[in-house]
C-alpha cells in the first residue's frame, strides 16, 4: 500500500525598542476580514515522483509598488512599557478600540490612516517573539492587506518621531500599544487623554483640534 507524505511549513518569530510618552488620533470606515496565514501549509501526496512547478499556489494579489510593507513583526519586553510589538525598523505598533478582532476589521481609513499608517503585508512577514498562530491579515477597503495580531489590525503612529517611542499610547482613549498576543498594553498610561497629531493632508495645527477627524 502506498504511503502518503504530508509537508507542513510553519513560520517563526522577531525584536524591538523603548520610550514613555503619549499623543493623539482618529478613525473611520470598515473592511472585510480575510485571514491570511503567515505560514502556509500545503499537504501533497503522490505515488510517482512527478512534481510540477505549476502546482504551486499563486501568491495573493501583490500590493501596489509604492506601498511600504511591514516585513517583520518583533515581540519583546521593554523598560516601563513591558510587552510590545515592533516592525522591522523598531517602530512600536498599536491597535484601535474601534476596530474589531472577531471578525477582524479595520475602521481606520482616510485621514485616520494618514495619522495611523496600517502595517501592510504581502502575506509573509518574518516573526520573532510573536507566535505565528496570532498573526494573520485583513483586507482593507482599498484592497491592501493589513497585518493583524490576535485578530486586531495593527498600525504605526506618525506622532512617534523615532523607533521605540510610544506617543500614541491612549490617544483619544482608543489607541493602545499592542502586545504579542494582540491584547492592549495598559502600562505607562498618560494622565488625561492625549490628542492625535493632525493628518499630513490638513494644513495647520499639530493637534487634532481643528482637523476633520476626532479619534
Amino acid at each position: 500500500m502506498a504511503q502518503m507524505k504530508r509537508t507542513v511549513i510553519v513560520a517563526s518569530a522577531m525584536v524591538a525598542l523603548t520610550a514613555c510618552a503619549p499623543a493623539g488620533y482618529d478613525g473611520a470606515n470598515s473592511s472585510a476580514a480575510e485571514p491570511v496565514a503567515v505560514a502556509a501549509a500545503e499537504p501533497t501526496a503522490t505515488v510517482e515522483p512527478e512534481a510540477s512547478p505549476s502546482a504551486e499556489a499563486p501568491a495573493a494579489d501583490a500590493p501596489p509598488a509604492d506601498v511600504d510593507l511591514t516585513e517583520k513583526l518583533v515581540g519583546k519586553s521593554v523598560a516601563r512599557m513591558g510587552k510590545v510589538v515592533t516592525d522591522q525598523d523598531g517602530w512600536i505598533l498599536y491597535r484601535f478600540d474601534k476596530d474589531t478582532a472577531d471578525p477582524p476589521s479595520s475602521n481606520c481609513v482616510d485621514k485616520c490612516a494618514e495619522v495611523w499608517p496600517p502595517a501592510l503585508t504581502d502575506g509573509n512577514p518574518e516573526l520573532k517573539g510573536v507566535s505565528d498562530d496570532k498573526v494573520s491579515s485583513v483586507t482593507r477597503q482599498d484592497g491592501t492587506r493589513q497585518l493583524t495580531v490576535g485578530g486586531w489590525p495593527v498600525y504605526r503612529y506618525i506622532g512617534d518621531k523615532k523607533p521605540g517611542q510610544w506617543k500614541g499610547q491612549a490617544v483619544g482613549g482608543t489607541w493602545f500599544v499592542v502586545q504579542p498576543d494582540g491584547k492592549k498594553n495598559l502600562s505607562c498610561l498618560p494622565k488625561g487623554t492625549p490628542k492625535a497629531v493632525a493628518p499630513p493632508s490638513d494644513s495647520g495645527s499639530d493637534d487634532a483640534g481643528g482637523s476633520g477627524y476626532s479619534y
Side-chain angles (χ1 to χ4, degrees), residues 179-201:
Q179 298 186 141
D181 59 2
K183 294 180 180 177
K184 45 186 173 184
N185 184 327
L186 298 177
S187 303
C188 203
L189 292 172
K191 292 182 179 177
T193 303
K195 290 181 179 179
V197 297
S201 61

Side-chain angles (χ1 to χ4, degrees), residues 51-66:
S52 155
S54 57
E56 286 182 35
D61 293 342
D66 59 345

Side-chain angles (χ1 to χ4, degrees), residues 197-213:
V197 297
S201 61
D202 277 13
S203 57
S205 68
D206 290 329
D207 60 45
S211 66
Y213 75 108

